[in-house]
Amino acid sequence: MRLTPEQVAIIHETVAEMLGQEARVYLFGSRVDDRCRGGDIDLYIELPVLAERRSRLQVQLQRRLWERLGPRRIDLLIRARDEALRPIHRDALEQGVRL
């Protein structure tokens, strides 16, 4: 996994602050493969329920992560646990690493 322990801690803290302690966070995509270089940070986040519009949560979380991690490309997938799994969600869960 190509995130530092500090980056993982920042992601955890930020998600917990904004979305609650019960949020599950997974890293997926190229950052999971240690042989790759570069790449954006792809995060799949699973919540008990969506308290706000998904797009609003994504914008707010992305802004906060940029403040704490520095400007970089961060892709966010946010899903409530009671929502149907789409193929992209399945891929993130199967290939991803829980942070």
Side-chain angles (χ1 to χ4, degrees), residues 3 5 16 25 27-28 40-43 48-49 54-55 62-63 67 77-78 82 89 93:
L3 289 179
V25 183
L27 176 70
F28 70 102
D40 55 355
I41 298 174
D42 298 308
L43 299 174
V49 295
R54 187 181 333 273
S55 59
Q62 190 165 53
R63 185 177 301 131
E67 290 170 1
L77 285 176
I78 299 175
D82 64 346
H89 300 143
L93 286 168

Side-chain angles (χ1 to χ4, degrees), residues 44-93:
Y44 168 75
I45 302 166
E46 205 173 70
L47 304 173
V49 295
L50 283 177
E52 295 183 47
R53 285 190 349 253
R54 187 181 333 273
S55 59
R56 181 176 170 86
L57 292 173
Q58 287 172 318
V59 168
Q60 290 173 337
L61 180 57
Q62 190 165 53
R63 185 177 301 131
R64 185 74 56 84
L65 287 169
W66 281 341
E67 290 170 1
R68 294 180 175 178
L69 293 172
R72 64 188 70 229
R73 181 150 179 199
I74 302 170
D75 291 331
L76 301 171
L77 285 176
I78 299 175
R79 178 184 153 267
R81 290 186 189 123
D82 64 346
E83 293 179 315
L85 282 171
R86 295 182 5 224
I88 186 73
H89 300 143
R90 279 191 183 86
D91 289 346
L93 286 168

